[in-house]
């Protein structure tokens, strides 16, 4: 029984629960399965699925997972946000991400990365950062204009 699709060298293969690659000519009927990427991704896919199963409300939003350096996962969400999990404590970090998402609705924000690799902090990368304007310039700071002689 296939549990995932493994993308390797521009090709797609089916992966079994045990991490074996399943040869088949009809991959199209499995298009709804999660895509895993990375050299050892098939062997580690079941452990990833165990982590994702902790938060069934998030699972439908996960589209792919990249095994980085054969040791940790980056999870791609359906809105192109990447959640970076740590090598150690990935299950706890994923649960923490789910809690943060529930509290702050992270998946609806204009962000590209949620880095959960450090247990004491979360780093979020904004997708389209806004430039500071005069209206939101901190009080008490001077604005210097080029070409001004004052």
């Amino acid at each position: 029984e296939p549990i995932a699709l493994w993308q390797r060298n521009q090709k797609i293969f089916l992966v079994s629960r045990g991490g074996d690659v399943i040869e088949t000519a009809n991959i199209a009927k499995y298009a709804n399965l999660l895509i895993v990427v990375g050299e050892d991704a098939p062997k580690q896919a079941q452990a990833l699925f165990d982590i994702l199963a902790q938060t069934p409300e998030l699972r439908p939003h996960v589209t792919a997972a990249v095994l980085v350096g054969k040791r940790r996962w980056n999870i791609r969400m359906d809105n192109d946000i990447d959640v970076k999990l740590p090598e150690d404590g990935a299950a706890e970090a994923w649960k923490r991400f789910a809690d943060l998402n529930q509290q702050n609705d992270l998946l609806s924000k204009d962000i590209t990365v949620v880095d959960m690799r450090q247990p004491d902090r979360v780093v979020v990368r904004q997708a389209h950062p806004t430039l500071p304007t005069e209206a939101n310039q901190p009080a008490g700071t001077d604005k210097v204009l080029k070409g001004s002689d004052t």
Side-chain angles (χ1 to χ4, degrees):
E1 178 87 21
I3 63 164
L5 296 171
W6 179 38
Q7 181 180 332
R8 183 174 189 207
N9 298 331
Q10 309 289 322
K11 294 181 182 176
I12 302 290
F13 305 93
L14 291 173
V15 176
S16 75
R17 192 168 297 283
D20 298 317
V21 176
I22 302 169
E23 299 291 331
T24 183
N26 189 10
I27 288 186
K29 73 178 196 175
Y30 299 102
N32 62 330
L33 293 177
L34 177 74
I35 296 171
V36 294
V37 180
E39 188 176 328
D40 285 347
K43 297 288 183 210
Q44 296 189 38
Q46 185 57 53
L48 171 66
F49 279 88
D50 292 343
I51 291 170
L52 298 178
Q54 298 181 104
T55 56
E57 71 278 7
L58 286 180
R59 179 56 189 93
H61 298 286
V62 177
T63 59
V66 178
L67 185 61
V68 179
K70 299 182 188 179
R71 56 185 178 78
R72 64 168 203 83
W73 292 99
N74 284 351
I75 309 298
R76 172 60 59 102
M77 308 304 284
D78 58 2
N79 57 356
D80 293 333
I81 293 176
D82 286 326
V83 180
K84 295 183 176 189
L85 298 179
E87 181 176 359
D88 297 319
E92 295 81 7
W94 182 248
K95 179 73 171 92
R96 212 169 85 222
F97 170 73
D99 292 344
L100 287 169
N101 182 60
Q102 186 174 11
Q103 294 166 10
N104 302 296
D105 199 19
L106 292 177
L107 293 180
S108 70
K109 306 288 187 209
D110 188 28
I111 57 178
T112 58
V113 175
V114 179
D115 191 339
M116 305 296 297
R117 292 179 290 176
Q118 298 178 37
D120 61 337
R121 71 182 65 159
V122 174
V123 178
V124 177
R125 184 179 305 149
Q126 205 173 5
H128 302 93
T130 57
L131 298 174
T133 64
E134 190 172 337
N136 64 14
Q137 187 173 346
T141 59
D142 294 329
K143 183 175 180 183
V144 178
L145 300 174
K146 292 185 179 181
S148 172
D149 5 83
T150 55

